Amino acid sequence: MKELLTNSAYFGVIVSLLGYAAGIKIKKKFKCGIFNPLLISIIFVIMVLVILDVDYESYNAGAKFLSYLLTPATVCLAIPLYQQLELLKKNVKAVLLGIFAGVLSGLGSVLAFAYLFGLSHEQYVTLLPKSITTAIGMGISEELGGITTITVAVIIITGILGNITAEAVCKIFRIHEPIAVGLAIGTSSHAIGTARALEIGEIEGAMSSLSIAVSGLLTVIGASVFANFL
């Protein structure tokens, strides 16, 4: 059985899709933020690999094909932004300042965290791209001398936490303006958080989609500057 699974080109894809499908059903049934479909699918995949004693390389041989869909899926987020283009034009200064503030606070919090816990330079730059999309974050981490695999894990965890807590945090701090909510979610938790923003509303989703691209570009510059602070 193990040989059959490890030699199958579809094993990784099927396991990943089944895990995510289960996550969606659980989320719809319990309607609770903690039951994030991506989080559930990650746990499901880990359990399957452990139980069947399948190594990661064998799983990834098939699952990597899903990664190829990441870029076109991210590009599709431009659709809700296009639908809210007039709103963006009216608030362009506030939007850009909001994204800049979000990127600055994200990088600053990692710096404070590094000093507080005595992290090494390698560990510090590994965490710097935590709030941007994986494709850009991996490049930044590698260029600055970070641990790329850990950067990917941190980015995913950040996105899941943003997806789960975003709405609650906005309520606690009484952030009700749709543009502000969208910018906050997209800047802090990239595409995974944006999925939640799209569920909240069209404007929130559009602004969050914009934040992914702009915050990614700003982080490329900002991370190179902040890397010199430790």
Side-chain angles (χ1 to χ4, degrees):
M1 175 62 74
K2 179 181 177 181
E3 288 73 17
L4 176 63
L5 294 176
T6 55
N7 293 328
S8 173
Y10 305 104
F11 171 70
V13 174
I14 293 174
V15 170
S16 300
L17 293 178
L18 285 176
Y20 194 75
I24 291 176
K25 286 190 176 182
I26 293 174
K27 177 68 180 296
K28 288 182 177 179
K29 182 176 181 178
F30 294 99
K31 298 179 180 179
C32 180
I34 193 64
F35 295 110
N36 180 271
L38 182 58
L39 177 60
I40 293 174
S41 65
I42 291 174
I43 296 173
F44 177 81
V45 170
I46 292 174
M47 290 177 61
V48 170
L49 296 185
V50 171
I51 293 172
L52 298 180
D53 191 27
V54 176
D55 59 84
Y56 174 76
E57 287 71 22
S58 299
Y59 158 77
N60 193 49
K64 66 181 179 182
F65 296 112
L66 289 174
S67 301
Y68 299 152
L69 301 175
L70 181 61
T71 299
T74 303
V75 172
C76 288
L77 292 175
I79 296 176
L81 177 61
Y82 176 77
Q83 294 173 337
Q84 302 294 333
L85 196 58
E86 290 301 319
L87 182 64
L88 173 61
K89 291 179 180 179
K90 293 179 182 178
N91 300 276
V92 63
K93 290 183 179 179
V95 168
L96 293 178
L97 285 174
I99 297 175
F100 177 77
V103 171
L104 190 62
S105 63
L107 295 173
S109 64
V110 174
L111 178 62
F113 184 87
Y115 274 111
L116 181 63
F117 292 95
L119 301 183
S120 66
H121 178 77
E122 182 184 41
Q123 294 168 334
Y124 168 59
V125 296
T126 296
L127 298 178
L128 276 178
K130 67 177 179 61
S131 295
I132 60 175
T133 186
T134 306
I136 302 176
M138 289 175 62
I140 293 175
S141 178
E142 184 177 2
E143 183 178 344
L144 297 178
I147 307 170
T148 307
T149 51
I150 296 180
T151 298
V152 172
V154 170
I155 290 174
I156 293 175
I157 292 172
T158 300
I160 292 175
L161 288 175
N163 186 293
I164 293 172
T165 64
E167 192 170 10
V169 170
C170 288
K171 287 181 178 179
I172 291 173
F173 290 95
R174 299 180 181 179
I175 304 173
H176 304 297
E177 168 59 44
I179 295 178
V181 171
L183 294 177
I185 296 175
T187 305
S188 62
S189 50
H190 51 87
I192 301 177
T194 299
R196 180 61 185 142
L198 289 167
E199 293 177 1
I200 296 174
E202 292 183 2
I203 296 176
E204 290 87 344
M207 295 301 108
S208 187
S209 301
L210 173 66
S211 299
I212 296 175
V214 179
S215 63
L217 294 175
L218 290 177
T219 301
V220 171
I221 300 171
S224 299
V225 175
F226 271 76
N228 299 315
F229 294 164
L230 184 67

